[in-house]
């Protein structure tokens, strides 16, 4: 296989991977952030202690994190069909990607929030700030560098998940590597795909680290 044959295959596959990872990242942030906040707020010593409820949330999060992604993809096929109407293609695999990443990011959010100094929260409470205000104006801004770093790690994990999704009809670079690099023994295409994934991961990780550093200096 020549470069002239590889490039027309590589560009659409890259776009499909970008779509899967982009939409999954958006939904993961929207769902994982409040879930991570809840794990902190409802914990013992939190702003609104509800230990039993927090234990239930923690159990759900742990179950989601413990399932290997390829098992998760297969296990929630009926749910994916209900949500999207199909179980193949880029749009369909946004569902398992999001379901797999939300618990992961929620734990990273929880860790970042717990690093905020207790004295900062106590000072806000002493000034009469409400729980909602403390979360919005104290916890989240103070933990922002950690939240960005956690989201960066999650995006990198999603890129790896999206490659696995290609083995079950999800499209993207993983599908390209399986169909051509593995099944047809196109070594050059496999190498190009691997290098491209490495470059994408390095660029995203570097960007995330830079943003986190900038935020931590403010």
């Amino acid at each position: 296989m020549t470069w002239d044959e590889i490039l027309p295959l590589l560009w659409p596959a890259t776009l499909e991977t970008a779509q899967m990872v982009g939409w999954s990242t958006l939904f993961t942030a929207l769902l994982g952030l409040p879930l991570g906040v809840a794990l902190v707020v409802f914990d013992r010593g939190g702003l609104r202690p509800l230990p039993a409820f927090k234990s239930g949330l923690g159990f759900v999060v742990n179950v989601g994190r413990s399932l290997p992604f390829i098992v998760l993809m297969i296990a929630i096929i009926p749910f994916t069909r209900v949500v999207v109407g199909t179980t193949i293609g880029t749009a369909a695999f946004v569902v398992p990607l999001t379901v797999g990443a939300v618990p992961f990011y929620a734990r990273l959010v929880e860790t970042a929030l717990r690093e905020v100094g207790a004295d900062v929260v106590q000072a806000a409470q002493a000034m009469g700030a409400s729980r909602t205000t403390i979360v919005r104006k104290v916890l989240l801004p103070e933990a922002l560098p950690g939240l960005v770093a956690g989201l960066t790690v999650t995006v990198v994990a999603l890129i790896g998940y999206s490659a696995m999704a290609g083995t079950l009809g999800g499209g993207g670079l993983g599908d390209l590597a399986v169909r051509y690099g593995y099944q047809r023994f196109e070594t050059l295409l496999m190498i190009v795909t691997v290098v491209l994934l490495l470059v994408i991961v390095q660029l995203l990780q570097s960007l995330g680290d830079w943003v986190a550093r900038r935020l931590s200096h403010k």
Side-chain angles (χ1 to χ4, degrees), residues 41-129:
V41 170
F42 296 131
D43 198 9
R44 285 186 174 87
L47 295 174
R48 181 69 170 87
L50 291 174
F53 182 64
K54 190 270 179 180
S55 296
L57 279 181
F59 176 77
V60 172
V61 168
N62 290 337
V63 169
R65 292 180 62 204
S66 64
L67 289 174
F69 182 66
I70 195 163
V71 174
L72 176 67
M73 284 192 296
I74 297 170
I76 66 170
I77 281 177
F79 177 68
T80 300
R81 184 179 289 112
V82 169
V83 174
V84 184
T86 181
T87 58
I88 59 174
T90 302
F93 278 85
V94 170
V95 176
L97 284 170
T98 301
V99 172
V102 165
F104 180 76
Y105 184 54
R107 284 300 187 191
L108 294 177
V109 170
E110 179 188 13
T111 301
L113 293 176
R114 290 192 187 283
E115 291 177 355
V116 177
D119 55 335
V120 178
V121 176
Q122 290 168 359
Q125 289 175 321
M127 291 186 290

Side-chain angles (χ1 to χ4, degrees), residues 30-209:
L30 292 175
L31 298 173
L33 182 61
L35 181 57
V37 170
L39 289 171
V40 173
V41 170
F42 296 131
D43 198 9
R44 285 186 174 87
L47 295 174
R48 181 69 170 87
L50 291 174
F53 182 64
K54 190 270 179 180
S55 296
L57 279 181
F59 176 77
V60 172
V61 168
N62 290 337
V63 169
R65 292 180 62 204
S66 64
L67 289 174
F69 182 66
I70 195 163
V71 174
L72 176 67
M73 284 192 296
I74 297 170
I76 66 170
I77 281 177
F79 177 68
T80 300
R81 184 179 289 112
V82 169
V83 174
V84 184
T86 181
T87 58
I88 59 174
T90 302
F93 278 85
V94 170
V95 176
L97 284 170
T98 301
V99 172
V102 165
F104 180 76
Y105 184 54
R107 284 300 187 191
L108 294 177
V109 170
E110 179 188 13
T111 301
L113 293 176
R114 290 192 187 283
E115 291 177 355
V116 177
D119 55 335
V120 178
V121 176
Q122 290 168 359
Q125 289 175 321
M127 291 186 290
S130 66
R131 288 190 289 263
T132 302
T133 300
I134 291 174
V135 171
R136 290 194 306 109
K137 300 292 183 66
V138 178
L139 284 178
L140 292 178
E142 289 291 324
L144 194 54
L147 296 177
V148 171
L151 187 61
T152 303
V153 173
T154 304
V155 172
V156 171
L158 280 169
I159 293 173
Y161 291 166
S162 72
M164 281 187 275
T167 63
L168 293 179
L173 292 170
D175 175 59
L176 187 66
V178 169
R179 287 193 295 115
Y180 289 89
Y182 177 72
Q183 295 177 351
R184 302 185 186 183
F185 302 102
E186 296 290 352
T187 305
L188 178 59
L189 188 143
M190 176 66 83
I191 293 173
V192 171
T193 302
V194 170
V195 171
L196 181 57
L197 285 169
L198 288 173
V199 169
I200 292 172
V201 167
Q202 290 298 324
L203 288 175
L204 289 173
Q205 186 66 60
S206 297
L207 177 62
D209 291 344

